[in-house]
Amino acid sequence: MDLNSDSIFSPAIPSEIHGVKLLRQTSDVKLAELGVTSWPLWESIPRKFSWKFKKTETMYFVEGKMKVRVEEHHKEGEALELMAGDLVVFPKDMKVFVDVTENVKKRYFRESEIEESELP
């Protein structure tokens, strides 16, 4: 599956905050088009941790809430709150601090390590 920001969000226009692309209240049509229900499920209880995205990652929040602060913009007031209904893309190599404030369930898709153009 080839997911890039243009295909993920088209025709909707996402917000971009500190390099993170965000679409609130994603439509069922868009979710079906992306095949979100086939993506792996990640769950977490409230906790805090840091994370570095080794690949571009797209996520859809099914339940819960979390706050994410991009390392370069780490002031508390600059946290991005993600919640059920949000479709989000974090770019490769981004470092973040995560604060899961309510139990979270999210679906995620990571870009392939091998680009389709490199396949035999």
Side-chain angles (χ1 to χ4, degrees):
M1 179 185 307
D2 179 31
L3 289 183
N4 61 49
S5 293
D6 294 334
S7 68
I8 291 170
F9 295 112
S10 182
I13 299 173
S15 300
E16 187 165 335
I17 302 164
H18 306 311
V20 178
K21 293 188 178 179
L22 168 65
L23 183 63
R24 300 263 189 213
Q25 299 306 313
T26 310
S27 73
D28 291 340
V29 171
K30 176 54 73 179
L31 297 176
E33 178 184 308
L34 295 172
V36 170
T37 58
S38 68
W39 296 356
L41 182 66
W42 180 85
E43 298 181 56
S44 179
I45 60 172
R47 62 188 177 123
K48 295 180 182 185
F49 60 94
S50 60
W51 185 259
K52 180 179 179 182
F53 291 94
K54 295 178 183 167
K55 300 177 186 180
T56 297
E57 186 168 322
T58 303
M59 21 181 111
Y60 174 71
F61 285 81
V62 179
E63 291 179 11
K65 288 184 183 177
M66 69 167 55
K67 291 181 182 178
V68 177
R69 290 181 289 127
V70 176
E71 185 179 63
E72 294 82 23
H73 306 278
H74 58 81
K75 294 178 186 173
E76 186 60 38
E78 296 185 16
L80 176 61
E81 187 170 47
L82 305 174
M83 62 193 79
D86 290 349
L87 184 68
V88 187
V89 178
F90 287 93
K92 179 180 178 181
D93 296 325
M94 179 174 275
K95 294 178 185 176
V96 296
F97 301 97
V98 178
D99 180 3
V100 179
T101 55
E102 292 179 12
N103 289 356
V104 164
K105 286 185 183 180
K106 69 172 179 129
R107 298 268 179 191
Y108 65 93
F109 178 87
R110 293 185 183 125
E111 71 181 8
S112 174
E113 289 186 35
I114 301 173
E115 297 298 321
E116 285 188 35
S117 60
E118 297 175 9
L119 295 175

